[in-house]
Amino acid sequence: MRVLIIHASELATPIGTSARKGAAMRAVTIIKNAGVLIEDGVIRCVGPTADVLAAERALGPSPDTLTISAEGKTLTPGYVDSHTHFVYGGDRADEFVQRLEGVPYMEIMARGGGIASTTRATRNATEEELETVGLDRLKVMLRYGVTTVEGKSGYGLDEATELKQLEVMKRLSAVQPVEIVRTFMGAHATPAEYKGREDEFIDFMIYRVMPKVAEARLAEYVDIFCEKNVFDVAQARRYFEAAAKLGLQTRIHAEEIVNLGGAQLAAEMGSASADHLLQINDDGIRALAASNTIATLLPATAFCLREHYAPARRMIDSGCAVALASDYNPGSCHTQSIPLVISLAALYMAMTCEEILTALTLNGAASLKRADHIGSLEAGKQADLIIHACPTFRHVIYSVAENTVEAVFKNGRRKTQ
Ligand code: NIG
Ligand code: FE
């Protein structure tokens, strides 16, 4: 199957097969009157329409060529949403209202709500129920242009339900087009039955659950909520050491509400990503800038918690590789809106249009160790791309909180109208 997209008013993409750090995040390639030639799901040529048409002729005739004119439209890589918690039972609308009335997020958690409340609902949900709601959420992601998503467990906090969440994601991978990268987050919170025995709970996850996850290849990553009154840095270190022995890579929720130094731990241990970072300090920024760990920023969470935003500008200017993601979850961030993430990054985090594009594509892909084949529009990469209903990438950013996505291609196949 051959697909030829031509006459796009603009194509915008970062270039490369690894994360772009610091000023290099702004090195986005812009091509006017652009085209893309795709064959069998792989990009064969990207360039001005004339070059792409010539490349198509050079390939020789094909029995099934789909030609699309993208006049007045913008082409970008598909978005990589590298941090979500999209498989969960129930909802937390009541808690949202409590937060509107002024009760802090961690206070709700301390009262037995928050993650614990979603854990109860997720334990009670059947696999089929989780699959149904998960599928609905994946459809929303696709409409926002997300072609690869990371999804975490962490609403089971027991063996059966943690595995159930990961199994559901595995099954969802087979029935819809968005690629799902699975993360085991058994250390999301301490469940009621282990209250006050956090170390024992971490041991349970390390010795009982994590080996099963690794053996069944249910996850590529582990994640931990390293936060005051949740898990400390020493516990995160033990959890990461156990993951490394099992061949699992690591990610961390760090410096979200209180700074504990989780960013430094991530850098030291070679984690793929350190996420949130609202409270990161200069030491943390220096450590990430000197490492290969991606700094994944989640502005929709800061917005929903009414916290100040992570210091993206300082981080990029210090040489960090920044990614942006939704953090979609039922509590701290009940939105899947990529347009909201883009708007917040532009308006409140002082990220440039080019940095935002790199953060949502190539750097997100790098944080999932997939930058060798997704995250940019280049010959040889997988054909995951978006056609936006506007003439330049700047118009994507200018369309505040609006979805500009008109069509999405995954593996070279059109998945939306
Ligand atoms: O990324 N901070 C911890 N975990 C999620 C929130 C989970 C929840 O509230 O259910 C986060 O913000
Ligand atoms: Fe999260």
Side-chain angles (χ1 to χ4, degrees):
M1 166 90 185
R2 187 178 290 175
V3 180
L4 195 53
I5 306 175
I6 49 174
H7 297 309
S9 108
E10 182 171 292
L11 179 149
T13 183
I15 297 291
T17 52
S18 60
R20 308 276 90 179
K21 294 176 86 167
M25 285 183 68
R26 294 192 282 281
V28 160
T29 293
I30 305 273
I31 305 169
K32 298 290 185 186
N33 187 6
V36 179
L37 170 63
I38 301 165
E39 189 145 81
D40 299 329
V42 177
I43 298 174
R44 289 299 189 95
C45 178
V46 174
T49 294
D51 295 6
V52 171
L53 286 171
E56 208 256 336
R57 276 193 300 278
L59 275 186
S62 157
D64 53 352
T65 302
L66 171 67
T67 303
I68 295 170
S69 172
E71 251 172 281
K73 316 273 159 97
T74 299
L75 305 181
T76 68
Y79 294 139
V80 178
D81 190 350
S82 56
H83 181 144
T84 81
H85 311 246
F86 78 94
V87 172
Y88 62 86
D91 70 63
R92 308 229 297 270
D94 293 349
E95 287 180 12
F96 186 75
V97 173
Q98 285 178 38
R99 287 202 284 116
L100 295 180
E101 289 163 356
V103 188
Y105 175 77
M106 291 305 278
E107 171 67 30
I108 291 173
M109 189 167 173
R111 291 180 192 172
I115 293 168
S117 129
T118 299
T119 298
R120 286 188 290 274
T122 306
R123 287 179 179 180
N124 288 332
T126 64
E127 281 203 24
E128 291 66 32
E129 286 164 350
L130 291 177
E131 209 174 311
T132 301
V133 291
L135 188 58
D136 286 344
R137 294 165 190 156
L138 286 158
K139 286 180 187 158
V140 175
M141 290 175 203
L142 192 65
R143 285 206 300 273
Y144 282 133
V146 173
T147 45
T148 301
V149 67
E150 184 260 14
K152 303 176 198 293
S153 69
Y155 291 123
L157 312 180
D158 62 14
E159 182 180 323
T161 317
E162 286 295 316
L163 298 181
K164 178 170 75 178
Q165 279 189 279
L166 294 169
E167 293 279 6
V168 165
M169 284 189 260
K170 186 173 174 184
R171 289 195 356 211
L172 285 168
S173 292
V175 299
Q176 56 75 53
V178 180
E179 182 182 0
I180 304 168
V181 180
R182 298 186 298 270
T183 295
F184 166 63
M185 199 174 178
H188 197 189
T190 302
E193 59 273 23
Y194 274 94
K195 264 289 164 265
R197 297 187 291 137
E198 277 68 29
D199 277 313
E200 270 178 65
F201 178 67
I202 291 287
D203 283 344
F204 167 70
M205 282 297 160
I206 287 177
Y207 296 112
R208 295 288 300 278
V209 189
M210 204 188 279
K212 298 213 164 99
V213 169
E215 205 199 331
R217 297 185 179 277
L218 279 174
E220 291 174 44
Y221 296 93
V222 309
D223 196 340
I224 183 165
F225 189 12
C226 184
E227 183 60 55
K228 187 177 169 205
N229 296 330
V230 190
F231 299 112
D232 61 24
V233 171
Q235 287 161 338
R237 181 185 292 279
R238 281 204 301 123
Y239 187 76
F240 282 3
E241 282 166 354
K245 286 200 190 110
L246 292 167
L248 295 165
Q249 305 192 66
T250 62
R251 328 178 69 78
I252 189 168
H253 283 58
E255 345 292 20
E256 180 177 357
I257 294 151
V258 174
N259 184 303
L260 299 184
Q264 289 92 317
L265 178 77
E268 180 199 324
M269 303 209 54
S271 296
S273 181
D275 301 37
H276 284 291
L277 308 174
L278 306 191
Q279 310 291 344
I280 195 167
N281 59 21
D282 287 343
D283 285 347
I285 292 176
R286 260 193 299 274
L288 288 181
S291 77
N292 289 323
T293 302
I294 309 288
T296 301
L297 308 185
L298 312 166
T301 310
F303 176 71
C304 292
L305 293 177
R306 292 188 277 198
E307 296 282 344
H308 68 79
Y309 297 89
R313 190 68 272 137
R314 244 188 328 128
M315 298 176 79
I316 296 171
D317 292 344
S318 304
C320 293
V322 166
L324 287 164
S326 71
D327 193 24
Y328 170 59
N329 73 71
S332 62
C333 188
H334 188 240
T335 175
Q336 300 186 246
S337 174
I338 300 294
L340 176 64
V341 170
I342 291 174
S343 298
L344 295 173
L347 289 166
Y348 293 104
M349 297 165 92
M351 288 177 69
T352 69
C353 299
E354 293 76 14
E355 288 166 350
I356 290 170
L357 180 64
T358 301
L360 268 173
T361 57
L362 188 61
N363 281 5
S367 97
L368 299 176
K369 309 287 181 193
R370 280 161 168 73
D372 58 336
H373 65 282
I374 58 169
S376 63
L377 298 180
E378 291 176 83
K381 283 213 178 180
Q382 187 171 302
D384 292 3
L385 63 88
I386 302 172
I387 302 178
H388 297 266
C390 54
T392 74
F393 181 68
R394 289 186 174 184
H395 287 80
V396 173
I397 314 268
Y398 167 57
S399 305
V400 175
E402 298 282 4
N403 191 13
T404 56
V405 173
E406 181 174 294
V408 180
F409 283 75
K410 177 70 186 176
N411 271 320
R413 286 180 186 274
R414 189 176 183 141
K415 294 299 175 188
T416 52
Q417 282 318 302

